[in-house]
């Protein structure tokens, strides 16, 4: 499989003429205003940020507006922290992509055959953790606490025989990070990414731990427009499979650090961004990052929030869209923005 070279994923000179670019950005802003979009959007090229703006309300009842610094639930879009963290540990020599699951964690079916590479590319055969019998977030504080549920699940298919997106892969990878580092996954991400990169609006705060005084967080609104109460999904813990909170500004900082080679370099960056699998829903898996013919990124969906974080290496553009409207079809909107921009 041909790997993406550093020259391809570097933040290169944009290919859109400046005059046309300004018109395109203005048209995108006009579209978002006309559709009463609720959320935040950031668009950037190699020269910097072209659009960074909040739309609608983070809290409708209290008339608190969304801003570029507002925190939205990223859902599965925060899985990129996991893939990048594993690659970072490999670069440090603390693990190898060919290592098996059984070298770090015991008690898994075919644990001596499942590799870290397979878990990173959703080809290990591990099932989604929420399919485990009697699954509950009670007493779960970290990824290691999730392992009894994961160990109870049979493999969906033999390791390496297929490629199916699975939350279980990321949970187990998070537990491996905890095993190697000796600290909770959330604390490790804070130590290596959040604090060094100045991601001041990124956190792994459980939604049930929030209250109405924490106005940096956007309340999620269901498809019906009903606000999701602050005790929604009581016990749900943001972990390595998703659920972290972030803003468009912070995601841009993270993306810029990743794609410029500040976080992982050389062959490790290229391997993380290579297409390792056959097509899955029109895309391919890198190391957790999802790659198609146009972009590299990850999306996330939940009851009241949706997230889209894409980098377009050919044009050198980043497009980040976060919304707290559960009824928003972010894939359709993302396609429109992409079409207008390019």
């Amino acid at each position: 499989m041909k790997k993406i070279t550093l020259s391809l994923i570097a933040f290169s000179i944009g290919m859109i003429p400046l005059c046309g670019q300004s018109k395109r950005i203005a048209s995108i802003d006009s579209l978002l205003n006309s559709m009463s979009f609720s959320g935040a959007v950031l668009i950037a090229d190699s020269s910097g940020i072209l659009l960074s703006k909040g739309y609608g309300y983070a809290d409708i009842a209290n008339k608190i507006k969304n801003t570029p610094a507002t925190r939205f639930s990223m859902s599965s879009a925060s899985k990129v922290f996991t893939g990048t963290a594993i690659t970072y540990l490999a670069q440090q020599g603390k693990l190898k992509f060919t290592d098996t699951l059984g070298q770090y964690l015991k008690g898994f079916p075919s644990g001596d055959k499942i590799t870290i590479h397979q878990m990173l590319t959703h080809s290990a055969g591990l099932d989604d953790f929420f399919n485990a019998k009697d699954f509950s977030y009670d007493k779960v504080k970290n990824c290691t606490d999730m392992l009894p549920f994961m160990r109870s699940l049979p493999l969906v298919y033999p390791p390496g025989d297929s490629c199916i997106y699975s939350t279980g892969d990321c949970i187990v990878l998070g537990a491996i990070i905890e095993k190697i580092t000796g600290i909770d996954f959330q604390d490790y991400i804070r130590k290596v990414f959040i604090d060094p990169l100045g991601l001041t609006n990124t956190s792994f705060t459980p939604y049930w731990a929030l209250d109405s005084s924490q106005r940096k967080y956007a309340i999620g609104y269901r498809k019906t427009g009903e606000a999701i109460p602050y005790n929604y999904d009581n016990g749900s813990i943001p972990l390595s499979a998703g659920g972290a909170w972030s803003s468009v500004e912070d995601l841009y900082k993270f993306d810029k650090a990743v794609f410029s080679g500040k976080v992982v370099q050389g062959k490790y960056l290229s391997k993380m961004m290579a297409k390792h699998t056959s097509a899955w829903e029109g895309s391919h898996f890198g190391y957790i990052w999802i790659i198609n013919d146009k972009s590299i990124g990850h999306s996330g969906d939940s009851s009241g929030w949706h997230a889209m974080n894409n980098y377009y290496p050919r044009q050198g553009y980043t497009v980040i869209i976060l919304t707290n409207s559960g009824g928003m079809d972010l894939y359709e909107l993302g396609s429109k923005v992409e079409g207008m921009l390019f």
Side-chain angles (χ1 to χ4, degrees):
M1 187 69 67
K2 184 178 180 180
K3 295 181 180 179
I4 298 173
T5 63
L6 287 180
S7 61
L8 178 61
I9 61 177
F11 273 65
S12 56
I13 298 174
M15 298 174 65
I16 299 175
L18 293 179
C19 180
Q21 178 190 80
S22 298
K23 291 181 179 178
R24 287 174 171 84
I25 295 298
S27 295
I28 291 169
D29 181 45
S30 178
L31 169 67
L32 294 168
N33 284 315
S34 68
M35 62 187 291
S36 299
F37 174 74
S38 180
V41 174
L42 186 146
I43 299 174
D45 69 359
S46 60
S47 68
I49 295 173
L50 306 173
L51 175 68
S52 182
K53 185 175 178 180
Y55 301 83
Y57 291 95
D59 182 342
I60 294 175
N62 292 299
K63 303 299 181 185
I64 300 170
K65 293 184 177 181
N66 283 316
T67 74
T70 301
R71 302 181 186 191
F72 297 81
S73 175
M74 294 169 62
S75 302
S76 288
S78 60
K79 283 183 171 72
V80 295
F81 289 132
T82 306
T84 308
I86 288 286
T87 306
Y88 181 70
L89 288 171
Q91 179 176 268
Q92 291 183 311
K94 295 182 179 180
L95 61 81
K96 295 179 181 178
F97 300 127
T98 54
D99 288 348
T100 65
L101 168 55
Q103 289 176 238
Y104 299 94
L105 304 170
K106 305 299 182 182
F108 281 85
S110 298
D112 60 336
K113 295 182 176 63
I114 295 171
T115 66
I116 288 178
H117 169 88
Q118 290 169 341
M119 288 184 283
L120 285 166
T121 58
H122 293 286
S123 55
L126 294 172
D127 202 354
D128 291 315
F129 62 83
F130 46 77
N131 287 332
K133 184 179 179 181
D134 300 323
F135 170 73
S136 171
Y137 280 109
D138 288 349
K139 300 180 181 179
V140 170
K141 295 182 180 179
N142 53 40
C143 299
T144 303
D145 292 340
M146 299 282 279
L147 293 182
F149 300 109
M150 288 303 305
R151 289 189 177 104
S152 71
L153 290 166
L155 293 180
V156 179
Y157 52 83
D161 274 14
S162 187
C163 169
I164 301 175
Y165 184 87
S166 170
T167 58
D169 289 315
C170 284
I171 283 295
V172 175
L173 287 169
I176 289 174
I177 290 171
E178 292 176 350
K179 179 74 172 180
I180 291 172
T181 65
I183 59 177
D184 288 353
F185 171 82
Q186 306 96 305
D187 293 334
Y188 183 71
I189 299 302
R190 186 178 304 111
K191 177 182 177 181
V192 298
F193 298 144
I194 293 176
D195 290 344
L197 297 177
L199 309 184
T200 55
N201 292 309
T202 302
S203 69
F204 284 80
T205 309
Y207 192 61
W208 55 266
L210 305 179
D211 60 48
S212 57
S213 68
Q214 293 171 292
R215 297 184 175 185
K216 292 182 179 179
Y217 297 83
I219 293 176
Y221 292 89
R222 302 180 194 273
K223 189 174 183 179
T224 59
E226 172 191 3
I228 296 176
Y230 276 104
N231 63 357
Y232 167 71
D233 220 3
N234 190 15
S236 177
I237 307 294
L239 295 171
S240 55
W245 298 82
S246 193
S247 66
V248 293
E249 291 179 334
D250 274 11
L251 284 178
Y252 175 60
K253 290 179 185 177
F254 181 71
D255 288 351
K256 192 172 182 180
V258 168
F259 291 106
S260 65
K262 182 177 180 180
V263 178
V264 292
Q265 298 89 37
K267 65 179 182 179
Y268 293 98
L269 179 57
S270 295
K271 199 167 184 68
M272 186 168 74
M273 298 303 173
K275 294 180 181 178
H276 293 290
T277 65
S278 56
W280 174 82
E281 295 189 357
S283 298
H284 305 265
F285 290 114
Y287 280 173
I288 300 301
W289 292 81
I290 297 175
I291 304 159
N292 59 42
D293 293 336
K294 298 178 181 178
S295 66
I296 303 170
H298 211 296
S299 60
D301 299 288
S302 58
S303 298
W305 304 266
H306 303 294
M308 182 174 289
N309 176 26
N310 287 333
Y311 173 55
Y312 298 82
R314 188 172 302 152
Q315 295 89 355
Y317 273 69
T318 300
V319 178
I320 302 167
I321 307 175
L322 304 177
T323 179
N324 58 328
S325 175
M328 172 63 61
D329 186 338
L330 205 55
Y331 297 96
E332 181 181 354
L333 175 60
S335 180
K336 287 182 179 179
V337 170
E338 184 181 279
M340 296 171 72
L341 189 60
F342 303 138

